[in-house]
Amino acid sequence: MLKNVLASVLDAEEAAQVYSAFDQVGDIVVIKIPDGLAGKKTVIAQAILANVKTAKAVFAQASAVRGDFRVRDLEFLAGENRTVTEYKEHGCRFKVDVARAYFSPRLSTERQRIASLVGEGETIVNMFAGVGTYSIIIAKANKTCRVYSIDSNPVANELCIENARLNKVSDRVIPVCADATSAIRDQLTGVADRVLMPLPERAKEFIAPAVAALKEKGVVHYFAHVRADSKKHAKELGEKDAHEAFKDYEHDVTETTVVREVGPRVYQIVADVTVTKA
Ligand SMILES: C[S@@+](CC[C@H](N)C(=O)[O-])C[C@H]1O[C@@H](n2cnc3c(N)ncnc32)[C@H](O)[C@@H]1O
């Protein structure tokens, strides 16, 4: 459908470029305008708004995702000039601010996969929780677990508090607004059966606090980016990368999943690493 919408204002090659970088979060659409199409950005945005019934606002990415908070600059193009919306996934509702806190609709399968691995009564530490997506989906699917949801971005933390309330899991999703290393050192050492590290660009810097958060034995979901020429190769390299990252600890990589391609020949992987502490 979107391809047809774009085809009405662009040629086939141009339409394909815009189509491949189109995200819709709730009623907000974020597109990437290739340099050569800057002159057509308003016409593209208006075509989207007129034809995608669920879209109320269209923004263009004005920078890459960057900084500690992993947010990007957005340029308003058409519709309502607001960046807050509501997004639904796996029976959960999330209030999201597409400009001020990280959020990606492209991780939904992985969130479901991790939620399905959680056992009875687990304590989980999500080191980079954002607006609470993984934490809340896990808590909603597993009524006996508790999830500490750390994020250093105060906007993400506030949204996580609100989202936990919206989804009625405030009693078991505990937001912590802090740097993950400090939060684990100060209050979460040795508490976790499972640790999530969804900060692929920098997860390697946080291996020691992730292991510190675990009980004597537990699982770390280690996210990373690897350069590879195929998905199969990415899986092999991801497993190797995880072994390297946890080489100082007794560990086993039980599964490596290729989550998505994030750039030309760059893949996001997640390795499930069981760690046994001496
Ligand atoms: C890639 S986002 C992932 C967010 C969320 N898990 C999701 O998938 O929607 C990484 C998050 O880590 C947070 N962050 C970055 N450095 C951090 C640190 N040192 N301690 C705690 N949170 C941090 C950012 O603010 C951002 O919200």
Side-chain angles (χ1 to χ4, degrees), residues 67-70 101-104 107 111 126-134 150-153 156 178-181 198-202 206:
D68 281 351
F69 297 163
R70 310 309 299 148
Y102 177 91
F103 177 79
S104 172
L107 297 166
R111 295 194 262 261
N126 183 353
M127 293 175 71
F128 310 109
V131 304
T133 38
Y134 280 98
I150 308 169
D151 204 287
S152 53
N153 177 355
D179 161 62
T181 303
L199 182 60
E201 302 81 0
R202 294 184 51 209
F206 293 88

Side-chain angles (χ1 to χ4, degrees), residues 211-265:
V211 173
L214 288 177
K215 295 176 178 169
E216 276 169 22
K217 186 172 182 181
V219 176
V220 178
H221 297 287
Y222 165 77
F223 290 70
H225 286 159
V226 295
R227 289 192 171 276
D229 48 22
S230 69
K231 208 172 160 181
K232 183 167 173 278
H233 194 207
K235 188 174 164 82
E236 289 162 13
L237 290 179
E239 184 173 337
K240 200 165 155 219
D241 184 62
H243 278 302
E244 176 62 25
F246 287 86
K247 66 179 185 324
D248 294 339
Y249 305 94
E250 189 183 328
H251 74 275
D252 186 19
V253 178
T254 55
E255 183 68 56
T256 306
T257 308
V258 179
V259 180
R260 57 181 178 149
E261 195 172 2
V262 290
R265 290 185 292 282

Side-chain angles (χ1 to χ4, degrees), residues 13-31:
E13 195 185 321
E14 293 171 341
Q17 285 178 335
V18 177
Y19 182 72
S20 66
F22 173 100
D23 270 336
Q24 183 166 356
V25 180
D27 58 6
I28 297 180
V29 168
V30 180
I31 52 177

Side-chain angles (χ1 to χ4, degrees), residues 33 110 112-113 167 171 173 183 190 198-199 211-212 235 246 276:
I33 302 285
E110 184 52 23
Q112 180 94 55
R113 187 189 75 86
N167 292 284
D171 53 334
V173 170
L199 182 60
V211 173
K235 188 174 164 82
F246 287 86
T276 309

